[in-house]
Amino acid sequence: MDLRAELLKSIWYAFTALDVEKSGKVSKSQLKVLSHNLYTVLCIPHDPVALEEHFRDDDDGPVSSQGYMPYLNKYILDKVEEGAFVKEHFDELCWTLTAKKNYKADRNGNSVVSHQDAFKLWCLFNFLSEDKYPLVMVPDEVEYLLKKICMAMNVELNSCELEDYLCQEPQGQGGLTVWQLLDMVNSGWFLRGIEQEAVSMAVEEVYQEVIEDVLKQARSPQGYLWKKGQLRRNWSERWFMLKPSVLSYYMSEERREKKGSITLDKHCCVEVLPDRDGKRCLFCVRTPARTYEMSASDTRQRQEWTLAIQMAIRLQAEGKRSLHKDLKQKRREQREQREQRKAAKEEETQRLKQLQEEKERKLQELELLKEAQRQAEILLQEEEQQRRQQHEEMQRTLEIQLREAEQARASMQAEMVLKEAEAERQRSRILELEAMQQRLQEALQQEVKARQDEEAVRYAQARLLAEEEEKLKQLMKLKEEQEEYIIKTQQEKQVLKQEMENKNKCLEEAQKQLEEVRVNRQRVDQDVMAAQRKLRQASTNVKHWNVQMNRLMHPIGPGDKRTVSGGGFAGYQPLLSQQDSSLR
């Protein structure tokens, strides 16, 4: 068993003991104290910073076992070194926490084991329990432990009573808890008439053998071994204790003063020596560095010690550190093999049962098939008889039908003659229809050709129509241009008419001025003389003024754009002069 797994089992009990409300969580202050104590008993350097940091007061509430595991693994279990601490002190710490809450003596107050023996049984339970939580011990391991205790007391265990007791006791997870085991031991049902001291000695022996890996030790003061010194070569009585890797010897059985130890490995051996120097039942342990000589009280004790030491040397050669760990693993493998065999046997029984059921089912099916076959034979006979009757009836029916067929044949032959004549007529009719079809095809071809010619004519007409439409468009365009020209001409005519009206107005104004001149003639007579002189001077211009006057008096035709120059009274001056000359 791994050291970490062993430590976790004991720590699990301490954690559950602190879980007062059984909620799976423990307050941080309690875990802080527990961690501090684990640092102490496991001889690990304290890390107060990590401890305070991990368990500082905040609002997160209590911590579950899963929440505590990271700190436990990182700061405690990863730093543990095997042999650097006393395992018993660590177990006592965890036992003290869990026993205070869970362990109760016999209900009647008559406890068979003491509190210290209960602690050792708790350690034995942790060692032999399964590696699953919550921890339980399977019935086979319970029987093994009780047998070991009974053998230490030279008492035979009643396996039938144990089996009855285990059947009556409620078992969770397939085994007993440590508290159920202690209640069973304290009940005294398998230790009737045995004193508490004997039970305590037996528990101590089993504890040393299983937990402390003690392979062999003297059981009484008369069984002390004598050891020969290396320097003074004298013989001294010592209390020896054998473990798989070391043979230790003490001053007394209390093991308070250790005198030395012999380290065992695969290079060591044990030999039986002849009697000499007044000592009998001699044997020695040879190591690469030294040879240790010892003397037993009798031949049987020497044989027991030599066999035990040889077994320890063999364990070291095979690389096994603990005999009982190896035995426990073998028992576990045997249980698993038994379970597998049991499961295989149950599976085989189930399979045989299924085969038997299948066989019975097939037999039933066979009986049903036989019955069905008999019924089928009966039905077959009935069907055969029915077929014979049907065959006879069918034969009679066929004979009747044959006679009727002969009669029908004669009538059909007569009909055939008629049909042949009708067919001849039909053939002639078909020939006529074929000739008619030929003529129709020729007429159809002519009609198709005529339609093609008609299509060509229609195409030519469509082309001519397109050309006429194009010419019509041109004529329409010309018509539009003419209309635009007429509109333009009319607009010009209106402009000329307006100009002529303007000129007529001017003429009327000139006539009015002429009337005014005539009215004012008398007033200008006084100036005539002066004007005659001026008129003579302007005689050279008479022709010119006459031309202008003629133009003014000439009617203005349409389209004539002549303008009147020298308007006003000056334009009529030559006419006045001419009239004045005629008057004279």
Side-chain angles (χ1 to χ4, degrees), residues 128-129 148 324 364 370 445 457 562:
L128 297 175
S129 63
K148 293 286 291 184
H324 286 280
Q364 293 177 357
K370 288 181 179 179
Q445 290 178 357
V457 171
R562 295 175 182 175

Side-chain angles (χ1 to χ4, degrees), residues 124-255:
L124 290 168
F125 176 89
N126 288 344
F127 181 83
L128 297 175
S129 63
E130 298 298 305
D131 298 334
K132 298 177 182 179
Y133 296 90
L135 297 174
V136 294
M137 185 187 293
V138 296
D140 290 345
E141 294 297 321
V142 174
E143 184 178 2
Y144 171 78
L145 176 60
L146 295 179
K147 281 184 177 180
K148 293 286 291 184
I149 295 174
C150 291
M151 287 175 60
M153 298 184 296
N154 294 322
V155 177
E156 184 178 358
L157 178 67
N158 192 332
S159 300
C160 295
E161 292 183 1
L162 176 62
E163 185 175 354
D164 294 339
Y165 181 89
L166 294 176
C167 291
Q168 296 174 2
E169 190 73 16
Q171 299 180 18
Q173 304 293 329
L176 293 180
T177 65
V178 65
W179 315 118
Q180 290 175 325
L181 175 66
L182 292 175
D183 289 342
M184 180 178 64
V185 175
N186 277 326
S187 65
W189 67 269
F190 74 101
L191 298 175
R192 300 184 185 92
I194 301 176
E195 297 180 356
Q196 185 178 4
E197 185 179 355
V199 175
S200 180
M201 291 177 63
V203 171
E204 174 66 20
E205 182 177 342
V206 176
Y207 176 81
Q208 291 183 359
E209 179 182 350
V210 176
I211 303 302
E212 296 184 356
D213 287 329
V214 177
L215 298 180
K216 176 66 179 176
Q217 66 177 2
R219 296 185 180 179
S220 63
Q222 292 78 11
Y224 277 54
L225 295 178
W226 290 85
K227 175 184 169 296
K228 188 175 184 179
Q230 181 180 9
L231 299 177
R232 292 186 294 176
R233 310 298 293 173
N234 60 333
W235 290 88
S236 303
E237 194 175 26
R238 297 287 184 260
W239 178 274
F240 280 82
M241 179 181 289
L242 176 62
K243 293 186 177 182
S245 61
V246 64
L247 177 62
S248 304
Y249 48 94
Y250 303 84
M251 283 293 296
S252 63
E253 60 181 328
E254 285 79 11
R255 295 181 293 172

Side-chain angles (χ1 to χ4, degrees), residues 10 60 71 104 121 194 203 213 340 360 362 372 388 394 396 420 452 466 541 543 554 579:
S10 300
D60 292 343
Y71 176 83
K104 297 178 182 179
L121 288 173
I194 301 176
V203 171
D213 287 329
Q340 292 176 359
E360 293 177 357
K362 288 186 177 180
R388 288 177 182 176
M394 188 179 295
R396 290 193 296 270
E420 287 178 358
Q452 290 177 353
N541 297 324
K543 291 180 180 181
H554 191 273
Q579 289 177 355

Side-chain angles (χ1 to χ4, degrees), residues 500-511:
M500 189 170 61
E501 289 177 354
N502 292 334
K503 290 179 179 180
N504 289 330
K505 288 180 180 180
C506 291
L507 183 59
E508 290 176 355
E509 290 178 358
Q511 289 177 355

Side-chain angles (χ1 to χ4, degrees), residues 427-438:
R427 281 195 293 272
S428 61
R429 179 65 177 166
I430 288 170
L431 292 174
E432 293 176 358
L433 291 173
E434 288 178 351
M436 186 181 292
Q437 182 181 9
Q438 184 69 25

Side-chain angles (χ1 to χ4, degrees), residues 133 210 413 415 418 464 476 541:
Y133 296 90
V210 176
Q413 286 179 351
E415 290 180 0
L418 296 175
L464 292 173
M476 292 298 293
N541 297 324

